């Protein structure tokens, strides 16, 4: 009789363990399935640029997005799909043309560059506005040229207290978590554009 009781207890214990494990597997499957659905339903926008927190200092992209005077620049960055490049650890210097600077380009230029077939040309122009480093306007006075993210050099000129990069005057500077944004009054075009 004692043997039969031990067998029943052992069987009961095994059955209880099996049921508990089955429940855990179902919960895990349900969680995995919901994560899969969530991933599939999320937009195509992926990467660091699309992660947000309330604690970090704004990065160079956040600063541009938060500025009403840079909506054309933000639209161009999005069209060229360069958002993730502007949120990397850096440090980065972004020479950010204002909307007025884009408006000063020949009529139809911006609209043409925003077309999907011109994505590479647009990316080249935008990368010409980015330099590795975090230099203040005053420190930039020590340079004759800067190496840009598109592998071309841009000239630096000093006229009185003003600093011009590629012919664009720095009108303001905003420190960022991953660099600095220098607001410029002109779109800086690479030599071959």
């Amino acid at each position: 009789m004692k043997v039969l009781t031990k067998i029943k207890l052992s069987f009961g214990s095994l059955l209880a363990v099996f049921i508990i494990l089955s429940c855990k597997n179902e919960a895990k499957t349900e969680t995995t399935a919901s994560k899969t659905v969530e991933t599939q339903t999320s937009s195509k926008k992926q990467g660091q640029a699309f992660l947000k927190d309330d604690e970090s200092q704004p990065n160079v992209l956040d600063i541009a997005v938060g500025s009403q005077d840079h909506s054309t620049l933000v639209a161009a960055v999005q069209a060229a799909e360069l958002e993730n490049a502007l949120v990397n650890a850096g440090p980065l210097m972004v020479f950010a043309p204002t909307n007025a600077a884009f408006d000063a380009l020949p009529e139809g230029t911006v609209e043409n560059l925003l077309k999907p077939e011109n994505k590479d040309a647009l990316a080249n122009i935008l990368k010409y506005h980015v330099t590795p480093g975090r230099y203040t306007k005053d420190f930039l006075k020590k340079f004759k040229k800067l190496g840009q993210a598109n592998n071309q050099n841009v000239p630096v000129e000093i006229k009185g207290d003003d600093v011009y990069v590629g012919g664009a005057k720095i009108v303001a500077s905003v420190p960022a978590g991953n660099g600095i944004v220098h607001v410029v009054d002109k779109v800086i075009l690479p030599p071959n554009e």
Side-chain angles (χ1 to χ4, degrees):
M1 196 72 158
K2 285 186 179 184
V3 172
L4 188 54
T5 305
K6 282 185 178 179
I7 291 175
K8 284 182 183 178
L9 284 174
S10 295
F11 180 75
S13 297
L14 284 173
L15 184 59
V17 169
F18 179 75
I19 290 171
I20 290 170
L21 288 176
S22 293
C23 290
K24 284 185 178 178
N25 284 339
E26 284 178 26
K28 192 180 278 185
T29 303
E30 190 174 305
T31 303
T32 303
S34 68
K35 284 182 182 175
T36 303
V37 170
E38 186 179 304
T39 302
Q40 290 172 348
T41 57
S42 66
S43 68
K44 292 182 179 181
K45 303 284 185 185
Q46 296 178 356
Q48 258 185 303
F50 305 99
L51 299 175
K52 300 294 174 205
D53 68 41
D54 295 330
E55 297 176 20
S56 300
Q57 183 179 3
N59 59 51
V60 294
L61 181 61
D62 293 332
I63 290 169
V65 168
S67 169
Q68 293 178 351
D69 291 330
H70 292 92
S71 58
T72 304
L73 175 62
V74 171
V77 167
Q78 291 169 339
E81 296 180 3
L82 293 175
E83 299 100 328
N84 287 318
L86 292 178
V87 298
N88 74 28
L92 300 173
M93 277 189 305
V94 175
F95 299 98
T98 61
N99 292 342
F102 281 102
D103 292 344
L105 292 172
E107 189 175 331
T109 302
V110 174
E111 293 78 12
N112 189 45
L113 284 170
L114 292 176
K115 293 178 180 176
E117 61 267 22
N118 296 326
K119 179 179 163 184
D120 290 340
L122 177 60
N124 183 52
I125 292 169
L126 292 173
K127 288 177 183 178
Y128 196 60
H129 288 78
V130 179
T131 307
R134 181 190 316 229
Y135 307 127
T136 64
K137 177 181 160 184
D138 285 336
F139 194 78
L140 285 172
K141 292 177 180 179
K142 299 179 180 193
F143 292 88
K144 295 282 186 211
K145 62 183 177 180
L146 297 171
Q148 302 304 85
N150 73 339
N151 295 319
Q152 290 182 297
N153 292 321
V154 65
V156 178
E157 298 174 85
I158 289 71
K159 297 177 185 176
D161 283 341
D162 294 323
V163 177
Y164 291 79
V165 177
K169 179 181 173 182
I170 297 176
V171 296
S173 299
V174 182
N178 65 336
I180 190 167
V181 175
H182 293 295
V183 179
V184 293
D185 66 350
K186 183 178 166 185
V187 176
I188 306 168
L189 296 175
N192 58 351
E193 294 297 320

